[in-house]
Amino acid sequence: MSTTRIADYRWQKLCAFLQGHPRAYAGREQECRRFVEAVHWILRTGAQWRALPDRYGKWNSVFKRFARWDENGVWADMFKQFAQDPDMAAVMPDSTVVRAHMSAAGGSKKGAHSRNSA
């Protein structure tokens, strides 16, 4: 079973963009794809970074690279580049596919009950 979630023809567009981006270290194509797939897994599932499956690499390394790309505007630039391309909609995460933690939607927070019952 393949762990690849981004279709090859979509990946080729993403890869070309990343290799030409001045602030995105793409490195080897296979490793870059695994990293982007890891980020998509996190966004799709809403899981914590520590829950990232081993097949995607060390969670902390993936997180640090994700944060670095965020600081450098790589994700924003990627979104701008592909926002109008309907073929790339499946690989451009937005608020309709990113899951929020239950406390972000008004769910109970740890310890909230004990403060209110006093």
Side-chain angles (χ1 to χ4, degrees):
M1 181 173 106
S2 173
T3 59
T4 302
R5 301 282 301 184
I6 298 174
D8 290 340
Y9 70 97
R10 289 182 176 137
W11 171 249
Q12 293 308 316
K13 289 182 180 183
L14 282 174
C15 186
F17 168 79
L18 292 170
Q19 289 176 339
H21 196 283
R23 295 178 309 276
Y25 172 71
R28 295 188 311 226
E29 184 176 346
Q30 186 176 8
E31 293 299 316
C32 185
R33 185 173 186 163
R34 185 171 78 152
F35 163 69
V36 173
E37 296 279 354
V39 171
H40 277 252
W41 186 89
I42 289 290
L43 294 174
R44 261 192 337 273
T45 64
Q48 295 180 358
W49 285 100
R50 292 178 190 263
L52 186 70
D54 291 337
R55 67 180 176 261
Y56 293 117
K58 296 179 181 176
W59 72 267
N60 197 37
S61 299
V62 174
F63 170 74
K64 285 180 181 179
R65 188 173 181 182
F66 170 82
R68 191 169 46 249
W69 280 22
D70 187 44
E71 286 177 16
N72 291 333
V74 176
W75 299 114
D77 292 346
M78 186 185 303
F79 185 79
K80 288 176 196 169
Q81 174 74 25
F82 297 115
Q84 301 303 317
D85 185 346
D87 189 43
M88 297 298 284
V91 294
M92 298 311 310
D94 61 17
S95 62
T96 62
V97 297
V98 176
R99 297 173 189 245
H101 190 273
M102 69 176 183
S103 64
S108 65
K109 296 178 176 85
K110 186 176 181 180
H113 178 41
S114 63
R115 285 194 301 265
N116 293 334
S117 62

